[in-house]
Amino acid sequence: NISIFSFFFQAEDGIRDFCLSRGLGDVYKRQTFNSVGVIKDMVCDNIFEGNQLPDNLKIIAACNPYRIKKVSLDNVGLEFNKDKIMLTHLVNPIPDSLCEYVWDFGALNEKGEFKYIRSSLLLIDDLSGYYDLTTELVQQSHTFIKGKEDSCSVSLRDLSRFCKVFKWFLSSFQKQNVQNSQSSLMKEPNEKNESMIMRAIVLSLCLCYNFRFSTIASRNEHIEIMVEIFKRHSKSMVSCKADFEKICKNEQENYLSRMNLTSGIAKNRALRENIFACLVCFLNKIPLIICGKPGLSKTISVLLLQANLRGEQSHDEFFRQLPEMNVISYQGSETSTSEGIRAIFQKAEDMAKVSRNNSKKVIPCVFFDEMGLAEHA
């Protein structure tokens, strides 16, 4: 059995500019496997540890390319070796004898990407009637990110996350049994259903694509592109930038309104967005990195979720339907070791096994505080 648990990362060391960036999913794309000689023996010589491999055993390997960034990205919290900072991935060189086996299969062109995105979205029945709209929204988000950052800054994994959180948002609307002000004005059942779908699409775009930008200007530019697509498809619910932002803000405030907050906690934009991103990623077991200067409500967001997501003991009816959040904290520092970090994740995995055996709705969450300091260890 494989145990699955959520984990959040927080990075502060190295921050220079105001940053609202939240990165999902692929925490690192590193090809740092040092035993490339073993791969060379197996692929080129058909030998492993001096022993001949069977003739019917064929080796196929894949690796990330050595590629220089085309666009200089903002420093969002993690500092790497200065000699490698301009690489899109931190990789080790492959032996010269392996180079003749390398085949660059390239990347999907726009037409191929469109077909792939559409085929993935066709698997979601709730999007029936909205496939053209959603496909264009997702593809244009990918195109925008590639233009702002690099071609490898976004992948079809982001599409998978979009599909996952879209289905979760629809399910959460049903659990909450509460519609926002836009939905409450709808009279026909099909209009109400469309309102929920539009909200879920907007929130998924926000979480998977918009939140990753470190500047407000880039976020606004992305929203404007999304709004134009909604308008082309005659979706009046999202006819301007304010509509898009209102949907996101309403959902964020909805989560905050369900929490017990101590006096003195400001419900500012940073807190709203952090709570929103942490809650959705935790419940969908999506890794999340929150980067920002001290005072941007990073740590308190996780602490508030821990205090309010208590399973059946939660004070809010909607939260009582959600799993309990069991946080395992790790304080990063310049003395952090790989063994210490590995032990924390092993503790979370053991906890997941216990909760599964007890049939309890508990999800362990590894909270890696000050990850930037551990990066220098």
Side-chain angles (χ1 to χ4, degrees), residues 148-160:
K148 282 290 184 181
E149 299 176 2
D150 194 273
S151 60
C152 59
S153 297
V154 65
S155 73
L156 296 175
R157 294 185 184 91
D158 296 281
L159 168 63
S160 299

Side-chain angles (χ1 to χ4, degrees), residues 269-286:
R269 177 173 181 169
L271 181 65
R272 292 199 314 266
E273 292 185 352
N274 288 343
I275 289 288
F276 173 76
C278 288
L279 176 66
V280 179
C281 288
F282 165 71
L283 294 173
N284 287 278
K285 302 183 178 69
I286 297 175

Side-chain angles (χ1 to χ4, degrees), residues 143 182 197 199 330 340:
T143 301
Q182 298 153 328
I197 293 175
R199 288 169 58 202
Y330 181 83

Side-chain angles (χ1 to χ4, degrees), residues 70-128:
K70 296 180 181 178
V71 181
S72 179
L73 303 180
D74 296 332
N75 181 350
V76 292
L78 299 180
E79 289 188 351
F80 303 115
N81 186 304
K82 297 300 182 182
D83 296 331
K84 298 181 178 179
I85 195 65
M86 291 310 297
L87 296 179
T88 57
H89 307 101
L90 299 186
V91 298
N92 288 325
I94 61 176
D96 292 339
S97 55
L98 265 177
C99 290
E100 62 180 281
Y101 292 86
V102 173
W103 175 51
D104 184 1
F105 56 83
L108 286 174
N109 56 30
E110 287 190 10
K111 185 177 180 180
E113 185 180 52
F114 181 89
K115 289 182 177 180
Y116 191 97
I117 292 173
R118 184 174 176 83
S119 64
S120 297
L121 296 175
L122 285 173
L123 300 176
I124 305 178
D125 293 336
D126 291 316
L127 279 175
S128 179

Side-chain angles (χ1 to χ4, degrees), residues 179-212:
Q179 305 300 321
N180 63 15
S181 59
Q182 298 153 328
S183 298
S184 64
L185 297 176
M186 302 295 180
K187 297 180 180 180
E188 299 296 330
N190 62 332
E191 290 181 325
K192 179 179 179 180
N193 186 50
E194 176 168 303
S195 173
M196 293 175 63
I197 293 175
M198 289 298 101
R199 288 169 58 202
I201 291 174
V202 168
L203 294 173
S204 301
L205 289 170
C206 181
L207 181 67
C208 296
Y209 300 108
N210 192 262
F211 272 8
R212 67 190 297 161

Side-chain angles (χ1 to χ4, degrees), residues 76-343:
V76 292
L78 299 180
E79 289 188 351
F80 303 115
N81 186 304
K82 297 300 182 182
D83 296 331
K84 298 181 178 179
I85 195 65
M86 291 310 297
L87 296 179
T88 57
H89 307 101
L90 299 186
V91 298
N92 288 325
I94 61 176
D96 292 339
S97 55
L98 265 177
C99 290
E100 62 180 281
Y101 292 86
V102 173
W103 175 51
D104 184 1
F105 56 83
L108 286 174
N109 56 30
E110 287 190 10
K111 185 177 180 180
E113 185 180 52
F114 181 89
K115 289 182 177 180
Y116 191 97
I117 292 173
R118 184 174 176 83
S119 64
S120 297
L121 296 175
L122 285 173
L123 300 176
I124 305 178
D125 293 336
D126 291 316
L127 279 175
S128 179
Y130 306 91
Y131 293 126
D132 291 340
L133 167 67
T134 314
T135 301
E136 187 175 357
L137 289 167
V138 172
Q139 185 182 39
Q140 288 303 309
S141 293
H142 284 218
T143 301
F144 181 76
I145 292 172
K146 291 174 184 177
K148 282 290 184 181
E149 299 176 2
D150 194 273
S151 60
C152 59
S153 297
V154 65
S155 73
L156 296 175
R157 294 185 184 91
D158 296 281
L159 168 63
S160 299
R161 282 188 282 273
F162 175 89
C163 296
K164 186 173 188 177
V165 298
F166 170 80
K167 290 185 282 189
W168 182 86
F169 279 123
L170 280 183
S171 175
S172 73
F173 295 157
Q174 296 173 347
K175 289 181 178 179
Q176 293 176 60
N177 197 27
V178 174
Q179 305 300 321
N180 63 15
S181 59
Q182 298 153 328
S183 298
S184 64
L185 297 176
M186 302 295 180
K187 297 180 180 180
E188 299 296 330
N190 62 332
E191 290 181 325
K192 179 179 179 180
N193 186 50
E194 176 168 303
S195 173
M196 293 175 63
I197 293 175
M198 289 298 101
R199 288 169 58 202
I201 291 174
V202 168
L203 294 173
S204 301
L205 289 170
C206 181
L207 181 67
C208 296
Y209 300 108
N210 192 262
F211 272 8
R212 67 190 297 161
F213 299 115
S214 59
T215 64
I216 298 297
S218 294
R219 290 189 179 192
N220 290 339
E221 192 176 347
H222 175 252
I223 292 175
E224 293 289 355
I225 294 173
M226 297 296 100
V227 170
E228 288 301 315
I229 296 174
F230 278 109
K231 289 165 66 175
R232 281 203 300 272
H233 289 265
S234 303
K235 300 303 179 185
S236 58
M237 185 175 172
V238 189
S239 60
C240 62
K241 177 173 171 286
D243 291 338
F244 191 103
E245 293 177 331
K246 183 178 180 181
I247 292 173
C248 296
K249 185 177 180 180
N250 285 347
E251 193 67 16
Q252 294 164 12
E253 291 181 341
N254 173 38
Y255 295 156
L256 272 177
S257 67
R258 298 175 181 277
M259 294 185 173
N260 281 328
L261 303 180
T262 57
S263 59
I265 296 180
K267 299 180 182 180
N268 54 30
R269 177 173 181 169
L271 181 65
R272 292 199 314 266
E273 292 185 352
N274 288 343
I275 289 288
F276 173 76
C278 288
L279 176 66
V280 179
C281 288
F282 165 71
L283 294 173
N284 287 278
K285 302 183 178 69
I286 297 175
L288 173 68
I289 299 177
I290 305 179
C291 300
K293 288 183 177 180
L296 290 181
S297 306
K298 300 182 298 298
T299 300
I300 195 173
S301 299
V302 178
L303 297 179
L304 286 174
L305 284 174
Q306 181 184 18
N308 287 274
L309 291 183
R310 301 172 57 194
E312 296 178 355
Q313 303 301 316
S314 302
H315 78 281
D316 181 79
E317 183 179 355
F318 171 55
F319 288 167
R320 284 197 289 270
Q321 302 176 60
L322 303 179
E324 179 181 349
M325 183 181 191
N326 197 328
V327 175
I328 303 102
S329 297
Y330 181 83
Q331 184 67 35
S333 70
E334 294 185 359
T335 61
S336 297
T337 63
S338 300
E339 291 74 17
I341 296 172
R342 190 178 296 113

